């Protein structure tokens, strides 16, 4: 299990790096895109936070949204990557999407649920308070997830 935990932390960091490489490199990106597909599939097999063998939550902290995430993994960070690369919406993401939806506050915002230790020059947000950054990321994710469904419904009328 410890190896799997390290793997998701590493996978999301590498995927984000490959995405930026792909954005700024115009030639010979086929291998980079293939590596991203394999990395996304690794996360999808785990439905972003579950053991592919038992279905148990790998680590509960993966369900708590942090900002900045530093090198740590959580499902909002992973979903934000999926939306950033305009990945196909996969049914294996649905449970993570439901978690994002269910953690939205009555005021329409998401809280900063977790802070990781590290050198900080100034406090961006307080743990437990509404988070501009988590709200921005969650709204981007939900817009991506719901995007074509809204268009499909309006076109069928």
């Amino acid at each position: 299990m410890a190896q799997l935990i390290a793997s998701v932390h590493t996978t999301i960091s590498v995927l984000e790096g490959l995405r930026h490489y792909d954005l700024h490199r115009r030639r010979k990106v086929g291998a980079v895109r293939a590596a991203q597909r394999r990395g996304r599939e690794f996360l999808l097999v785990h439905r972003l936070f579950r053991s592919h063998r038992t279905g148990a939550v790998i680590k509960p902290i993966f369900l708590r949204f942090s900002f900045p995430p530093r090198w740590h993994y959580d499902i909002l960070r992973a979903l934000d990557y999926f939306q950033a690369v305009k990945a196909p919406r996969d049914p294996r993401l649905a449970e993570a999407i439901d978690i994002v939806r269910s953690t939205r506050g009555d005021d329409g915002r998401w809280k900063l649920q977790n802070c990781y230790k590290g050198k900080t020059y100034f406090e961006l947000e307080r743990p437990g308070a509404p988070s501009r950054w988590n709200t921005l990321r969650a709204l981007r994710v939900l817009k991506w997830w719901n995007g074509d469904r809204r268009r499909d419904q309006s076109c069928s009328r």
Side-chain angles (χ1 to χ4, degrees), residues 19-71:
R19 174 183 168 258
H20 286 288
Y21 179 86
D22 189 7
L23 286 172
H24 300 290
R25 185 79 178 188
R26 297 292 176 220
R27 297 176 302 169
K28 300 181 183 178
V29 294
V32 171
R33 290 181 182 159
Q36 287 186 78
R37 281 191 299 277
R38 289 190 305 272
R40 286 194 301 270
E41 183 58 28
F42 172 79
L43 295 177
L44 287 168
V45 164
H46 295 92
R47 293 181 291 168
L48 301 190
F49 65 97
R50 293 194 176 276
S51 165
H52 68 284
R53 290 189 183 102
T54 67
V57 173
I58 297 167
K59 199 167 182 185
I61 196 75
F62 293 170
L63 308 178
R64 297 177 49 103
F65 308 152
S66 305
F67 197 87
R70 300 183 186 269
W71 57 268

Side-chain angles (χ1 to χ4, degrees), residues 3 33 45 92 124 126-128 145:
Q3 185 178 21
R33 290 181 182 159
V45 164
R92 294 172 288 183
L124 292 171
R126 289 187 331 268
W145 185 256

Side-chain angles (χ1 to χ4, degrees), residues 18-156:
L18 290 173
R19 174 183 168 258
H20 286 288
Y21 179 86
D22 189 7
L23 286 172
H24 300 290
R25 185 79 178 188
R26 297 292 176 220
R27 297 176 302 169
K28 300 181 183 178
V29 294
V32 171
R33 290 181 182 159
Q36 287 186 78
R37 281 191 299 277
R38 289 190 305 272
R40 286 194 301 270
E41 183 58 28
F42 172 79
L43 295 177
L44 287 168
V45 164
H46 295 92
R47 293 181 291 168
L48 301 190
F49 65 97
R50 293 194 176 276
S51 165
H52 68 284
R53 290 189 183 102
T54 67
V57 173
I58 297 167
K59 199 167 182 185
I61 196 75
F62 293 170
L63 308 178
R64 297 177 49 103
F65 308 152
S66 305
F67 197 87
R70 300 183 186 269
W71 57 268
H72 301 275
Y73 176 87
D74 67 53
I75 62 170
L76 183 57
R77 182 177 177 190
L79 287 166
D80 198 28
Y81 164 80
F82 274 79
Q83 73 77 28
V85 297
K86 297 175 180 63
R89 289 183 312 272
D90 188 292
R92 294 172 288 183
L93 296 172
E95 188 178 11
I97 292 290
D98 288 343
I99 292 168
V100 171
R101 285 184 180 130
S102 72
T103 56
R104 189 176 200 169
D106 293 337
D107 63 357
R109 299 182 289 179
W110 283 261
K111 292 182 179 181
L112 179 60
Q113 298 174 325
N114 184 52
C115 271
Y116 289 105
K117 293 180 180 175
K119 189 170 192 166
T120 304
Y121 295 98
F122 55 91
E123 186 178 272
L124 292 171
E125 300 175 327
R126 289 187 331 268
S131 166
R132 291 182 200 112
W133 294 105
N134 285 346
T135 298
L136 171 68
R137 294 184 307 148
L139 289 173
R140 281 193 308 225
V141 164
L142 294 177
K143 181 179 180 183
W144 161 74
W145 185 256
N146 296 326
D148 288 346
R149 290 183 188 135
R150 285 189 193 139
R151 258 181 267 139
D152 292 346
Q153 289 171 355
S154 63
C155 291
S156 64

